[in-house]
Each structure stands twice: as C-alpha cells, then as structure tokens.
C-alpha cells in the first residue's frame, strides 16, 4: 500500500504541503480533489521522487519513495503520468511508449508484451503507432501518456489531471481505461478537476485545500457532501 504520513514539502520559504496523511490500499482507485494550487502535483512529484520532502514520509509497501531519485520510485513500482502529458512530440507514438519501459529495457519479451497490452487498452493508438505523438488529438496524446506510464509495469499509477482540456466523451474513454487498468490489479491515485467523473470511478477520495487534507471519505460520502457538491461538483 501507499502510506503517506505527515508529509511536508517546501519551495524555498513557501510550504506547499502541510503534514499530509494519505493512503492508497492495494486495488483501490483514490481520487484527489482540489483547486489549482492545492498541492496535487507537488504530492505526485514527491511520490515520483522528483521533489524532496522537508518532513514526513511516503512509503510503498514499506519502502521509502522520498529519496529524490525518480528511477527508484519507478523500479519500486510507482509510475507517474504527469500533468500536461510531457510527451516527445517529434518522436513516434511507439517510441514514446517504449521510453516508459526504460527500467525494464533488458526484458525485451516483457516490453513487447506490455506494448501489446497498451495497444489493447487503447486500440486507437495502433494505426497511429508510427505517427509523431505531437500530431495526435489531445485525447490520443493522453492515451500515449498513460500508456507510457503503464509500460513501466507499475503497481501504483499516479495520474495527474488526465482529463484536462478533453471533451466529455474523451474524458469518459480515458477514465474507463483507468478503470480497466485498475481491474487488472493496478492501484491508482488520480488527481482531477473533473470531480464528478473522477468520483464516478473512485473507491475513496481526499479533498486537498492549501496543501492540507480538509475532507476524506468513501466515494458515496464525498458525492453527497455539501461542501464537495458546491465547490467541486457545481451543484
Ligand atoms: P495545478 O492543478 O494548478 O497544478 P496543484 O494542486 O497541482 O495545482 P501544485 O502545482 O502542487 O498544485 O502547487 C502547490 C503550490 O505550490 C502552489 O501555490 C504553487 O504556486 C506552488 N508551487 C508549485 N511549484 C512550485 C515551484 N517550483 N516553486 C515555487 N512554488 C511552487
């Protein structure tokens, strides 16, 4: 499981996360709701080893993730699909996907098998496999970004705002793929502005405000919470 305890992150004198406690149990989809600047990306970057915390701990199955070494987080089974996708637009779809398997590069058969699985999950990418990633639609680029994260064969997938800027139908496709990945045994921590759609597939959720958890609970409880409904569901 992912166990985050009392995690704090500073940028210089600015504290972005204030003693955060959060868990993701095996097999769960956990959604992280919060406005811009709430600290969602900071948490993800810290779990992915891209940002060092100033206090507290984050462990995956008991092993620390917070050493500030991204390759260690990946080899421990934690894979980040970053906000904004960060693809290599000039490289083909398939080359972008293969980059995700870098830590397993010696296991060629395993990489081919994983590639097949990603194409199975996102059939639209098959005919685009040789196209530059930058030439794809926003939704397809998001599929490449998720696919690349899956190529590392994660046990925990960190998804930062996968539906940002996508049309509602595409959001549905992307979140349904996340559900399929989860059904295959991958735990998911999902940050979303699109709270209604995200809560639709999540088991539990946390609300993050100003770098603090202000609310947490199972899906149905958050969906019915007045504060969540007015702040994040627009009702
Ligand atoms: P968004 O969806 O806009 O990315 P977020 O919830 O992911 O929002 P973060 O990006 O984690 O929020 O930012 C949390 C806070 O930390 C914000 O106030 C932001 O301005 C600040 N921050 C983020 N990155 C840095 C940085 N590199 N240096 C200084 N402050 C930063």
């Amino acid at each position: 499981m992912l166990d985050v305890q009392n995690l704090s992150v500073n940028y210089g004198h600015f504290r972005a996360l204030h003693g955060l406690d959060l868990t993701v149990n095996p097999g769960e989809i956990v959604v992280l709701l919060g406005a811009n600047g709430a600290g969602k990306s900071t948490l993800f970057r810290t779990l992915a080893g891209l940002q060092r915390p100033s206090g507290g701990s984050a462990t995956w199955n008991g092993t620390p993730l917070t050493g500030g070494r991204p390759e260690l987080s990946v080899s421990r089974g934690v894979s980040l699909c970053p906000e904004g996708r960060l693809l290599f637009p000039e490289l083909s779809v398939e080359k972008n996907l293969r980059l995700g398997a870098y830590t397993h590069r010696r296991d060629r058969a395993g990489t081919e098998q994983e590639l097949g699985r990603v194409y199975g999950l996102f059939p639209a990418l098959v005919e685009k496999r040789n196209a530059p990633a930058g030439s794809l639609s926003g939704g397809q680029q998001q599929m490449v970004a998720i696919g690349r994260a899956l190529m590392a064969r994660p046990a925990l997938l960190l998804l930062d705002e996968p539906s940002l800027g996508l049309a509602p139908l595409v959001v549905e496709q992307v979140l349904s793929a996340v559900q399929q990945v989860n059904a295959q045994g991958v735990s998911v921590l999902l940050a979303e502005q699109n709270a209604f759609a995200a809560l639709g597939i999540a088991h539990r959720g946390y609300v993050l405000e100003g770098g603090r958890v202000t609310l947490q609970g199972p899906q149905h409880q958050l969906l019915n919470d007045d504060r969540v409904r007015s702040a994040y569901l627009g009702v």
Side-chain angles (χ1 to χ4, degrees):
M1 69 180 283
L2 174 70
D3 190 9
V4 175
Q5 285 187 17
N6 200 23
L7 189 73
S8 294
V9 176
N10 294 345
Y11 297 111
H13 293 300
F14 177 74
R15 176 153 284 197
L17 293 183
H18 299 258
L20 212 72
D21 291 317
L22 173 148
T23 56
V24 178
N25 296 308
E28 271 190 324
I29 299 181
V30 173
V31 70
L32 208 54
L33 303 177
N36 284 339
K40 306 181 296 296
S41 299
T42 298
L43 173 63
F44 280 159
R45 289 174 47 77
T46 308
L47 298 177
L50 293 162
Q51 178 74 44
R52 276 179 190 276
S54 48
S57 66
T59 56
W60 173 248
N61 296 336
T63 313
L65 297 173
T66 45
R69 291 180 59 195
E71 69 280 11
L72 282 186
S73 286
V74 175
S75 66
R76 282 166 188 161
V78 176
S79 189
L80 170 67
C81 178
E83 184 179 353
R85 303 169 197 137
L86 308 184
L87 299 178
F88 293 92
E90 319 280 320
L91 291 187
S92 71
V93 165
E94 188 150 316
K95 284 199 171 129
N96 271 278
L97 291 175
R98 286 183 184 279
L99 282 173
Y102 182 75
T103 45
H104 297 284
R105 61 193 176 284
R106 287 195 188 84
D107 177 11
R108 292 209 180 142
T111 298
E112 297 313 307
Q113 198 178 6
E114 207 51 48
L115 196 58
R117 239 204 279 230
V118 169
Y119 284 134
L121 186 65
F122 300 118
L125 297 184
V126 176
E127 64 185 47
K128 302 276 184 184
R129 63 202 302 164
N130 296 316
S135 70
L136 270 56
S137 69
Q140 289 171 342
Q141 290 193 32
Q142 187 60 56
M143 292 170 194
V144 178
I146 295 174
R148 181 182 55 186
L150 291 174
M151 288 297 291
R153 298 182 229 167
L156 173 67
L157 180 63
L158 306 172
L159 273 173
D160 199 354
E161 308 258 4
S163 78
L164 202 66
L166 303 183
L169 198 64
V170 187
V171 173
E172 239 172 77
Q173 287 172 1
V174 167
L175 292 182
S176 142
V178 172
Q179 232 172 349
Q180 286 179 55
V181 168
N182 174 249
Q184 291 165 10
V186 179
S187 307
V188 179
L189 183 60
L190 167 70
E192 264 298 334
Q193 304 265 341
N194 205 327
F196 194 69
L199 280 171
I201 67 160
H203 301 104
R204 285 192 300 124
Y206 293 82
V207 174
L208 209 58
E209 287 173 346
R212 291 182 168 86
V213 172
T214 52
L215 197 63
Q216 59 175 297
Q219 171 213 42
H220 59 91
Q221 193 177 318
L222 292 180
L223 274 171
N224 291 313
D225 187 280
D226 286 342
R227 287 164 292 175
V228 173
R229 290 168 71 84
S230 64
Y232 302 103
L233 301 177
V235 286

